Amino acid sequence: MSIRHGLLALLERGPRYGSQLRTEFESRTGSTWPLNVGQVYTTLSRLERDGMVVQDGEDEAGHPLYTITDSGRVELRSWFENPVDRTSPARDELAIKLAMAVGAPGVDIRDVIQSQRRHTVTAMQDYTRLKAQALTAVEKNGARERDDIAWLLVLEQLIFQIEAEARWLDHCESRLIRLSSTAPPAGPEPASPGAAAGAAGMGARAGGRGRGGRTPPPVTSVLHDRP
């Protein structure tokens, strides 16, 4: 999430102080990605260091105000005009969890999938309810209230994302079932390097059954290994 660009976008509307930026950022995104004041001021300090914002006086209450510079406007325009880079995707905890669950001792990956699916369904229901509220607010206020429109767009992105997650979980379960049903019978593991070499020779004489002559273990043993 590009907090720095979000703050630059808010500062383009006029000078702001830290707490004000946090409030407006969360209002625009419906508090989907909450910020703390320390995070905002740390980002502002880096933007100031990079010449994209400057401190420009104080408000009536003594809060230091920040103003976007010409360099900041150039950076903001570049952010708006260029697509979000997907060559280095963000780490996805669910994908990492399922990857690590494959073959983990004492873990049934089907239970992991089912647990996540229940959570996903609940999240979908919550997002759908919030979307109905956002639509009501937009219909009531029209295009005048940009925060309502921004929140609606964020919610719809979250809904599309959670729908994709639900489809992916179904796909994972189907994939594991297919792999389990097509896996060959398990062969004995070699007891030593010498035994492995002998097994390789036997596999070669039999026409070969995989790299090194070893028959790969069935997916069922990989997925449901127990200590």
Side-chain angles (χ1 to χ4, degrees):
M1 180 182 58
S2 184
I3 297 173
R4 60 189 274 122
H5 292 106
L7 298 185
L8 286 174
L10 293 173
L11 286 173
E12 193 176 35
R13 299 169 58 184
R16 300 240 187 326
Y17 56 87
S19 297
Q20 187 178 12
L21 286 167
R22 181 192 66 174
T23 300
E24 292 188 13
F25 184 94
E26 293 184 352
S27 177
R28 184 67 65 88
T29 61
S31 298
T32 302
W33 303 284
L35 303 178
N36 59 61
V37 174
Q39 191 175 13
V40 171
Y41 277 109
T42 297
T43 305
L44 287 172
S45 295
R46 291 171 180 166
L47 289 171
E48 188 175 17
R49 176 200 64 192
D50 296 338
M52 296 183 188
V53 304
V54 293
Q55 289 192 43
D56 187 17
E58 300 177 343
D59 66 358
E60 297 82 358
H63 299 115
L65 295 173
Y66 290 82
T67 302
I68 190 170
T69 65
D70 290 340
S71 295
R73 289 189 176 89
V74 171
E75 174 70 15
L76 183 60
R77 292 277 79 75
S78 176
W79 184 57
F80 281 135
E81 292 169 1
N82 290 287
V84 175
D85 186 13
R86 300 298 187 190
T87 56
S88 299
R91 294 182 182 90
D92 185 282
E93 183 178 355
L94 177 56
I96 294 173
K97 179 188 288 190
L98 291 189
M100 297 303 167
V102 176
V107 176
D108 189 332
I109 192 171
R110 294 172 301 181
D111 291 342
V112 178
I113 291 174
Q114 290 297 333
S115 175
Q116 184 64 40
R117 182 182 283 115
R118 289 191 293 270
H119 175 80
T120 300
V121 170
T122 300
M124 174 65 72
Q125 294 169 344
D126 291 340
Y127 289 149
T128 302
R129 175 177 49 80
L130 291 172
K131 178 183 176 181
Q133 296 175 3
L135 279 171
T136 300
V138 169
E139 291 170 357
K140 177 181 178 181
N141 299 321
R144 297 187 307 275
E145 186 51 68
R146 58 183 131 191
D147 284 355
D148 291 335
I149 298 174
W151 174 219
L152 176 61
L153 295 179
V154 169
L155 273 173
E156 289 176 332
Q157 190 271 345
L158 292 172
I159 289 172
F160 286 134
Q161 191 175 57
I162 207 75
E163 287 175 344
E165 179 178 293
R167 291 195 300 272
W168 179 64
L169 289 170
D170 291 341
H171 167 79
C172 288
E173 191 168 47
S174 298
R175 173 72 72 188
L176 295 174
I177 291 173
R178 288 196 299 271
L179 289 174
S180 297
S181 64
T182 59
E189 288 291 334
S192 65
M202 293 175 62
R205 288 191 295 273
R209 293 180 293 178
R211 283 187 296 177
R214 290 175 55 189
T215 302
V219 176
T220 49
S221 67
V222 173
L223 302 182
H224 311 303
D225 189 21
R226 294 293 186 272

